[in-house]
Amino acid sequence: SRLCPRPATPELLTALRAALVLLADHELAASTLAARVAASAKADPYAVVLTGLGVLGGSLHGGASHAAERLLAEVGRPGQAARAVAERVRRGERIPGFGHSVYKNGDARGALLLDLVKEAAPDHERIAATDALLAEMRRRRLPDSNIDFALAALAAVSGMTPGAGEAVFAVARTAGWLAHAMEEYERGTLLRLRASYTGLPVATEPPRT
């Protein structure tokens, strides 16, 4: 009820629950790594979650779902999908909701969630816009959709408020961060990463004669 002004159908609630499960954990994503580092330093659980939220809000992480929402909102009719994609390609921008650094052949999480959204409201006008964007991306041989795009579709079909996808992402991932924190608390050692110098060679003095 905090995300949507009108009651959701049982089918859309099922899709929302699935999104929460699918997003709860995803290996050592940037926010999870940050949360684990905080937990390894014995930060309290509230600080661990705040650390994760600080990273999640980045436009290349949890914030990507909001950008995907805006893309989908631009496609009022299926015929507008080509223009929405073409404008971003012309500007050299990433297409929000498409491509993933881990999944080069499609994000299975997003595919599953998108199927559930379509099953929940097969005749919804936003489904037609969703399909048009997917078709245009395939036509251009651009990257496949990811979980952010599926979240945007869920938010659009449900009539959620702008930015709701990021909120769903954050609530789901909080459970994952706390699970990682519990593991770090049991380890009892500081998670300390090392860095290798990659700059210019350090100048050395010539040998004295």
Side-chain angles (χ1 to χ4, degrees):
S1 61
R2 297 289 181 175
L3 298 177
C4 186
R6 63 174 184 269
T9 65
E11 292 80 9
L12 285 173
L13 284 175
T14 295
L16 176 59
R17 293 190 186 98
L20 291 170
V21 172
L22 291 167
L23 288 164
D25 188 47
H26 196 225
E27 298 180 5
L28 292 178
S31 59
T32 303
L33 178 59
R36 284 199 81 121
V37 171
S40 76
K42 295 299 180 282
D44 65 64
Y46 296 98
V48 169
V49 171
L50 282 173
T51 301
L53 288 172
V55 179
L56 188 78
S59 62
L60 296 182
H61 198 2
S65 62
H66 196 187
E69 288 178 21
R70 293 195 296 271
L71 170 64
L72 188 54
E74 288 181 23
V75 185
R77 301 184 307 277
Q80 296 175 324
R83 179 180 178 182
V85 173
E87 287 181 350
R88 285 170 170 78
V89 171
R90 178 176 54 80
R91 295 194 297 262
E93 298 177 1
R94 294 168 59 103
I95 310 298
F98 292 85
H100 196 282
S101 60
V102 175
Y103 305 117
K104 304 303 181 184
N105 297 313
D107 186 343
R109 303 169 303 164
L112 175 59
L113 180 57
L114 199 54
D115 285 344
L116 290 173
V117 173
K118 290 181 177 181
E119 290 173 10
D123 299 323
H124 198 283
E125 60 177 8
R126 295 288 77 200
I127 294 297
T130 297
D131 287 340
L133 279 169
L134 291 170
E136 179 63 17
M137 292 294 288
R138 284 194 298 267
R139 187 185 72 80
R140 289 175 172 268
R141 297 182 180 179
L142 292 173
D144 291 322
S145 63
N146 57 36
I147 188 70
D148 299 313
F149 185 74
L151 269 181
L154 173 61
V157 170
S158 302
M160 293 182 181
T161 57
E166 185 175 354
V168 172
F169 199 137
V171 170
R173 194 55 60 90
T174 295
W177 294 331
L178 292 174
H180 281 272
M182 291 168 66
E183 290 184 354
E184 287 297 335
Y185 290 153
E186 291 178 358
R187 276 167 35 94
T189 57
L190 185 65
L191 182 56
R192 176 66 164 85
L193 305 180
R194 297 300 308 276
S196 298
Y197 179 71
T198 60
L200 296 174
V202 178
T204 57
E205 294 183 4
R208 295 181 179 180
T209 58

